[in-house]
Amino acid sequence: MKKLLLFDVDGTLMEESPTHTESFNYACRKVYGVETDIYSFPRHGMTDTGILYGLLKRAGLDDAKISVHINDALKIMLEYVKNNIKPEDYKLLNGVNTALKEFYDLGYTLGLLTGNIQGVAELRAEKAGISKYFSTGGYGSDSMIRSELVSYALKRLGIKIDLMNVYLIGDTPLDIKAARDAGARAIAVATGIYKIDELKNADLSLNSLEEKNKIIEFLKNQ
Ligand SMILES: [Mg+2]
């Protein structure tokens, strides 16, 4: 039976991207004319679209005003990242390269499942040299709701895989929730801001992807 592993990016595969983070403030200023502070906004595990709505609402804008220009804002964010990307924006976490290569060589289908805008996620993966492993993705530009990204990833993949054989690998309780809401399985890694004790309700919780063998054992028994 085919198994699909969908990886979150920030805190799971890579360190957070400073340029991507700054692009929220830039887009809000450029498109909506408001000053926002992304750094004080609790955003971990959220989609980029969801973060934009949250930030702009906090700055006093309503849904209608935000939605009119949301696609422009996403476009401006991507442009900003493209123009300013630097090595700190695609720094892989320990063990990631080895783990991805091994999952790939074992015949698992891999994809991205990230709150990042598609162009930003693809650019960072490309720069980090890991895009060759991924056959599909669901992105923060597809939907504001993280669990909905799973169906986008399956659609892009173009082959039928039962949700019981889809695994979301992420670093926050919102990744676990997205897996549950989508009917998929959850694997958590404590390489983001959450400790392993806070990620215990996943089907499998690990300290980091350096423990890839635990994932391989776990998948074998499914
Ligand atoms: Mg994350």
Side-chain angles (χ1 to χ4, degrees):
M1 190 56 85
K2 225 174 177 29
K3 285 185 166 65
L4 172 63
L5 312 185
L6 292 173
F7 292 87
D8 167 57
V9 174
D10 294 296
T12 301
L13 297 179
M14 297 181 201
E15 287 180 13
E16 211 173 284
S17 151
T19 304
H20 175 231
T21 305
E22 184 53 35
S23 74
F24 287 96
N25 288 339
Y26 180 79
C28 290
R29 190 183 310 129
K30 200 97 175 142
V31 177
Y32 296 94
V34 294
E35 287 302 319
T36 50
D37 176 22
I38 182 69
Y39 302 100
S40 66
F41 188 77
R43 61 195 181 277
H44 297 96
M46 288 177 70
T47 61
D48 284 7
T49 313
I51 296 168
L52 276 173
Y53 269 89
L55 261 181
L56 289 161
K57 276 187 188 174
R58 197 174 67 167
L61 274 71
D62 61 24
D63 278 337
K65 271 209 182 106
I66 299 167
S67 68
V68 179
H69 298 297
I70 194 80
N71 288 329
D72 296 331
L74 293 169
K75 232 178 273 167
I76 293 284
M77 281 177 64
L78 175 56
E79 219 170 87
Y80 182 87
V81 173
K82 274 186 178 163
N83 291 337
N84 295 285
I85 193 158
K86 48 189 184 292
E88 296 95 291
D89 297 311
Y90 45 90
K91 222 171 143 201
L92 292 177
L93 295 170
N94 289 343
V96 165
N97 229 325
T98 317
L100 289 176
K101 187 181 183 319
E102 192 155 350
F103 297 142
Y104 183 84
D105 289 345
L106 285 168
Y108 295 117
T109 305
L110 312 184
L112 294 173
L113 200 292
T114 169
N116 283 202
I117 296 165
Q118 181 169 3
V120 171
E122 288 176 347
L123 179 62
R124 292 173 69 199
E126 183 67 48
K127 291 271 190 189
I130 55 171
S131 45
K132 58 186 177 226
Y133 298 121
F134 303 115
S135 318
T136 187
Y139 308 97
S141 39
D142 293 328
S143 168
M144 186 153 59
I145 301 159
R146 197 172 186 100
S147 60
E148 290 183 359
L149 307 186
V150 176
S151 61
Y152 282 90
L154 286 169
K155 212 180 295 164
R156 285 194 181 98
L157 185 63
I159 52 167
K160 268 232 165 302
I161 294 186
D162 192 286
L163 281 165
M164 281 297 292
N165 290 309
V166 176
Y167 298 80
L168 266 60
I169 296 126
D171 67 303
T172 74
L174 287 178
D175 296 272
I176 301 171
K177 184 182 184 306
R180 299 282 176 246
D181 290 350
R185 318 292 298 276
I187 297 175
V189 286
T191 41
I193 62 166
Y194 293 94
K195 296 193 169 49
I196 194 160
D197 292 344
E198 298 171 282
L199 302 166
K200 281 289 183 214
N201 58 343
D203 297 295
L204 176 71
S205 317
L206 305 171
N207 290 304
S208 81
L209 282 174
E210 288 179 289
E211 298 177 335
K212 64 170 168 44
N213 290 342
K214 288 188 186 168
I215 298 184
I216 293 165
E217 271 311 301
F218 172 75
L219 293 173
K220 262 191 219 159
N221 296 319
Q222 298 298 304

